[in-house]
């Protein structure tokens, strides 16, 4: 057995079922091994950012890693923006990156570059394998690292001869490092902090938000103690909607976040770090909690958040609480699409058990709140602030959950970074409905330009307009095999989404923002 | 004056005229300074790989660097595949990468990552500036590094407060490090090697190929001594076509390259390194020259290649030679487009003084030879093997040379990595005619799969097909504001290119390969 086959068999034995791939010459032996063994489903992306964003979406919904197949340092670089997002989401992911054969690395071949150096800034774990005999064991360790709490981006660099040489050995799965138990002293301190009632904030993130029974318990703790529950601005996955807890997010805008947090004197952190500003701005703080607020880490990112929630509920005598349901969304009238009618249209269109992918950014900022009363849903969003996760994240989620519809809330500027993801949706006939929020501008950046103190002139604003020429997403989607339509009023938008989710296969709806 | 303005004024004083940009919040103070000073033309890209590929194309044709404006580590990562290509081309380029404000870097903000670590594998020079007072001087040093022989990718990382703080100081331009003089002993050895006549190869690259008077001198040396002249497989820029020397390229395929080089016993290297295989393959060599061939570096990459050619000509008494013109290309008949009729159609369509961008890969491999008799042209090609340089490289070349038509020879699979470059062509109304070689497959990889010893099955081959669904490049181009047409015979293709180059603005022609 060659090294490539031993690696494929090792990953399969460890539970890996899907490979998102954009391979090159130095990975052909892995393509060959995947083909011969038929153990792992291969999904092709036309660009590496699609591959890693899809692996992220897959893992968020499947609860386990996919493997990506990437080509040398430049392929890894193309993949890295969405590795960054995955790292910040604490998503488990295994990247298999080919490198030149060991004997070839001494030469300055055109594609020679420092693959390990390129991997380090965007991976939590990097391993370079050295032989066909070792690649199986290295693969098992990389997979275990990926599955370690709270979920890690783990990269295995495989010189091509380690794949094609004979002598491969299939390795047993390694046990990943589970979450660390919480400290009794931290629990005591958290219980004491909850004694301060409404002066106390619980900021809960990570795995806690993925389990409705835990969010119900958090709600019970809030009811029992008078504390407030909030979640970080971006999260790997939220289970929310009607009948489930819907917690407020710490806002993106610094001023709004400071306003929200100013009254708290105790902050209990569960699988979360203290909230900080997305960016620094002249004259604005980096830290969002007031100085006089005591920070208390009950569970750090790699600790056992579910245990923390259960222990806390137990100590204060809280039971799971049933949320007061938010009002059921109302369908909008046949009015132009502004931010408000957009929210209404989306909220009223979401079907039961939908997966919502949120890269709506400026135009979509109100949709999270507006959908609290929509049917139960999974909510996955951009986490690391690196725009261009949307089309692939939706793609991967649909691969993981073939029986659930995916609605992708997609800002127009961001869509263009990984628009190639539409092609994979068509190829795999995935039930993804992409709603493009077409405002023809990097609206977010226009606001940011003012926040850094600029008094922008015409040419600066022109740099942030993307409507000259106008992007025609219906044509772009058609070019990649995805049928699309353009809508200009909120009622039609709502109905178009309802229609699209009922049909198999991907659709794109370009919502023209007024 | 704030730091951002001091940097813009410093770069402008150093000769920088164009900024290719895809900024984010941490670069808004640079957008503001570019806007207020109006010293540097700003060109927007919708994706960072477009930005750096365009800066590469610009510098190859303008002979001086552009500056790129990039957003944090993920933006830099998206830019890096084409930085890799630029490095291998030895293209001068300055990258300005924003980072979080220094005071904000301690926090784990969503976009916090190791920007310097991400820059190092893809830059020849990296500088992190520390204050508004220093950013001007750091910018001048970064620019000088970029312009040092033979041309370098130089990256300046600027925390946002170094841009918005007051106290900026405009710096005088620094003198770049020029090429090193050649060694008299190496010249003596090269003259001696030329005494072996047809046993001797001159492999010339870099700046030597950009000056017709030098390629004529090389031709004179060959005529005088009986040696052979060849060029590396990929080069920053070649001045070639009718009336100019057209040297054979060392082939991509290992077997063909070994065959071409097997008879040589002396290899004189001028701004080139010994040719090596693009990839390693089982049972094939990495080194392409025979073992018994003596390697003689007359001018290394950073040495003075033009001086080397002139000195060599002087020593052997060679004069500039007039090339025997290759036959004038003949227009193809109305036949299906195969590789042969494709070559004919392109060669017969090229207008006077065209810039040819070559990312044609498998389908386009014969076009270089077929165009030797076409009118004089500049030829710029993918250098580092990282596919996805085409649309941006053509874009940048057109920005540098607004009065010259650009014909982009573009493989379909590669086109999809940076297809967003079409939008910038439309926005800037550039005379770029993109010819998509639509064979619906990663044809190159199919050949490579067999070369690594695989006997590929259906699912492996399916991973390398990109025609399910078929890409419709005419629709994709339309979506980005570029008019397109689809052609299925060689005569129509030839005429379509002739028509397109005569009109202003970009066009796309999808050539369906039979």
């Amino acid at each position: 057995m060659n090294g490539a086959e031993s690696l494929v068999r090792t990953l399969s034995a460890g539970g890996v079922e899907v490979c998102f791939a954009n391979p090159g010459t130095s990975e052909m032996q892995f393509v060959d091994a995947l083909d011969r063994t038929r153990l792992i489903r291969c999904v092709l992306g036309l660009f590496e950012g699609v591959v890693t964003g899809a692996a992220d979406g897959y893992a968020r919904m499947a609860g386990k890693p996919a493997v990506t197949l990437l080509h040398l340092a430049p392929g890894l670089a193309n993949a890295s923006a969405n590795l960054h997002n995955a790292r910040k989401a604490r998503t488990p992911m295994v990247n298999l990156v080919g490198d030149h054969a060991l004997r070839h690395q001494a030469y300055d071949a055109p594609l020679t570059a420092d693959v390990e150096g390129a991997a380090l800034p965007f991976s939590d774990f990097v391993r370079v394998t050295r032989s066909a005999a070792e690649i199986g064991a290295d693969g098992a360790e990389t997979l275990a690292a990926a599955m370690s709490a709270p979920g890690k981006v783990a990269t295995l660099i495989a010189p091509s001869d380690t794949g094609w040489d004979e002598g491969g050995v299939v390795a047993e799965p390694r046990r990943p490092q589970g979450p660390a138990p919480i400290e009794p002293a931290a629990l005591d301190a958290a219980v004491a902090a909850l004694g301060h009632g409404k002066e106390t904030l619980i900021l809960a993130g990570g795995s806690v938000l993925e389990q409705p029974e835990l969010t119900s318990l958090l709600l019970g703790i809030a009811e029992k103690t008078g504390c407030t529950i909030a979640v970080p601005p971006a999260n790997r996955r939220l289970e929310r909607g009607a009948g489930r807890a819907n917690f407020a997010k710490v806002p993106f805008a610094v001023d709004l976040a400071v306003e929200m947090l100013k009254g708290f004197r105790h902050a209990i952190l569960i699988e979360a770090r203290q909230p900080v500003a997305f960016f620094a701005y002249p004259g604005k703080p980096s830290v969002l909690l007031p100085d006089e607020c005591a920070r208390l880490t009950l569970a750090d990112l790699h600790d056992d958040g579910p245990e923390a929630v259960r222990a806390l509920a137990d100590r204060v005598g809280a039971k799971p609480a049933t949320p007061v349901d938010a009002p059921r969304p109302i369908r909008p009238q046949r009015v132009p699409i502004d931010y408000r009618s957009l929210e209404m249209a989306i909220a009223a269109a979401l079907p039961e058990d939908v997966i919502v992918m949120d890269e709506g950014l400026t135009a979509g900022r109100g949709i999270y709140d507006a959908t609290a009363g929509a049917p139960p849903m999974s909510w996955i969003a951009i986490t690391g602030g690196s725009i261009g996760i949307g089309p692939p994240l939706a793609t991967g989620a649909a691969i993981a959950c073939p029986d659930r519809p995916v609605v992708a809330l997609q800002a127009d500027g961001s869509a263009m970074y990984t628009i190639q993801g539409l092609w994979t949706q068509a190829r795999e006939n995935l039930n993804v409905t992409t709603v493009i929020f077409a405002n023809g501008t990097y609206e977010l950046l226009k606001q940011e330009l003012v926040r850094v103190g600029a008094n922008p002139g015409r040419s600066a604003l022109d740099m942030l307009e993307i409507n000259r020429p106008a992007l025609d997403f219906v044509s772009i989607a058609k070019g990649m095999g995805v049928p699309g339509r353009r809508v200009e009023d909120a009622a039609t938008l709502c109905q178009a989404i309802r229609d699209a989710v009922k049909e198999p296969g991907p659709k794109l709806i370009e919502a023209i923002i007024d």
Side-chain angles (χ1 to χ4, degrees), chain A:
Chain A
M1 180 184 323
N2 71 14
E5 183 173 336
S6 75
L7 178 63
V8 170
R9 291 189 181 280
T10 297
L11 294 175
S12 173
V16 174
E17 293 183 46
V18 176
C19 173
F20 295 95
N22 187 264
T25 297
S26 45
E27 295 75 40
M28 282 300 111
Q29 55 287 350
F30 297 109
V31 171
D32 176 53
L34 288 160
D35 173 45
R36 281 187 287 110
T37 58
R38 305 288 168 100
L39 293 168
I40 293 178
R41 174 182 179 187
C42 289
V43 178
L44 184 61
L46 292 181
F47 173 70
E48 294 88 346
V50 172
V51 166
T52 46
D56 186 355
Y58 172 87
R60 293 193 201 195
M61 295 312 303
K64 64 179 186 177
V67 60
T68 70
L69 184 55
L70 301 166
H71 183 47
L72 293 164
L76 177 59
N78 279 338
S80 289
N82 277 335
L83 291 185
H84 172 87
N85 282 323
R87 268 189 94 191
K88 297 291 176 159
R90 331 288 166 198
T91 298
M93 192 187 305
V94 173
N95 303 300
L96 173 58
V97 187
D99 196 359
H100 282 311
L102 292 166
R103 66 165 163 90
H104 201 61
Q105 291 181 12
Y107 304 106
D108 184 29
L111 274 162
T112 299
D114 178 4
V115 183
E116 187 177 9
L120 287 167
F122 300 103
S123 298
D124 301 298
F125 172 97
V126 178
R127 171 68 53 92
V128 183
T129 195
R130 290 286 159 205
S131 72
E134 292 164 281
I135 192 171
D138 285 330
E141 283 193 37
T142 305
L143 179 57
M147 295 170 75
S148 297
K152 290 182 179 160
V153 172
T155 299
L156 176 63
I157 298 167
S160 47
D161 42 359
T162 67
W164 72 53
D165 282 352
E166 290 299 312
V169 182
V170 180
E172 291 291 313
R174 306 283 157 91
R175 180 189 294 273
Q177 180 88 42
I182 61 166
E183 298 287 339
L187 182 60
D188 291 344
V191 171
L194 284 174
H196 295 276
K198 63 182 188 172
E199 285 185 3
T200 302
L201 171 76
I202 295 179
L203 188 73
S207 67
V208 167
L209 306 180
E210 298 172 346
Q211 301 175 51
E213 65 271 28
L214 294 175
T215 56
S216 300
L217 263 187
L218 282 170
L219 209 56
I221 292 169
E223 285 184 6
K224 185 83 178 188
T225 68
C227 78
T228 298
I229 316 279
V231 302
N235 300 283
R236 182 168 61 197
R237 174 177 168 186
L238 292 154
E239 290 297 318
R240 56 186 299 268
R244 294 176 176 173
N246 290 279
F247 299 123
K249 283 195 292 190
V250 175
F252 170 83
V254 173
D255 295 343
L256 295 179
V258 167
E259 176 64 25
M260 172 187 179
L261 300 172
K262 70 179 180 190
F264 296 111
R265 295 296 172 267
H266 307 270
I268 299 170
L269 304 170
I270 300 178
E271 285 194 44
R273 296 260 166 88
Q274 73 153 324
V276 295
F278 211 93
F279 292 105
Y281 305 91
K284 290 190 195 287
S286 289
V287 170
L288 302 175
L289 285 168
D291 288 347
E292 59 272 29
C293 177
R295 281 82 161 156
L296 199 164
T297 299
L298 177 56
D300 202 352
L301 302 175
H302 57 279
D303 293 336
D304 194 337
E307 184 207 352
V309 172
R310 291 191 191 101
L312 208 52
D314 188 56
R315 285 283 296 273
V316 302
K319 299 265 175 290
T322 310
V324 180
D325 264 7
R328 221 190 135 86
I330 298 162
R331 294 177 74 140
Q333 301 296 308
R334 203 175 172 83
V335 294
I337 304 171
D338 58 14
Y339 291 179
R340 177 74 194 113
S341 67
L342 176 67
E343 292 162 17
M344 291 177 70
I346 302 286
L350 293 180
E352 196 79 26
D353 208 29
V354 70
I355 300 167
V356 176
M357 190 297 298
D358 177 21
E359 192 177 41
L361 305 187
T362 319
R365 201 154 283 160
I367 298 176
Y368 178 84
D369 288 340
T371 51
M377 72 193 90
S378 301
W379 185 278
I380 57 178
I382 178 172
T383 44
S386 177
I387 60 173
I389 196 176
L393 198 70
T395 301
I399 294 277
C401 302
D403 299 327
R404 297 178 63 182
V406 178
V407 171
L409 310 179
Q410 185 60 61
D412 52 359
S414 309
M416 289 304 295
Y417 288 73
T418 51
I419 193 70
Q420 305 94 333
L422 294 176
W423 181 84
T424 301
Q425 293 174 12
R427 182 176 170 93
E428 302 289 336
N429 198 36
L430 305 176
N431 188 357
V432 178
T433 300
T434 298
V435 185
I436 299 283
F437 299 169
N439 60 7
T441 173
Y442 289 127
E443 183 62 31
L444 182 57
L445 293 183
K446 281 199 204 158
Q447 299 174 6
E448 297 289 77
L449 190 58
V450 175
R451 286 195 187 113
V452 299
N455 180 15
R458 201 202 54 77
S459 81
L461 290 174
D462 189 55
M463 283 275 288
L464 308 178
E465 300 289 359
I466 57 175
N467 61 352
R468 186 173 57 78
L471 287 161
D472 165 4
F473 281 95
V474 174
S475 289
I476 294 172
K478 175 169 181 271
M480 301 193 207
V482 174
R485 61 181 288 198
R486 176 184 162 108
V487 300
E488 304 197 19
D489 76 87
T492 306
L493 172 60
C494 184
Q495 191 59 45
I497 299 170
R498 286 176 169 231
D499 293 343
V501 296
K502 283 186 201 132
E503 283 179 48
K507 302 277 183 301
L508 180 139
I509 301 165
E510 184 170 7
I512 308 299
I513 309 282
D514 192 37

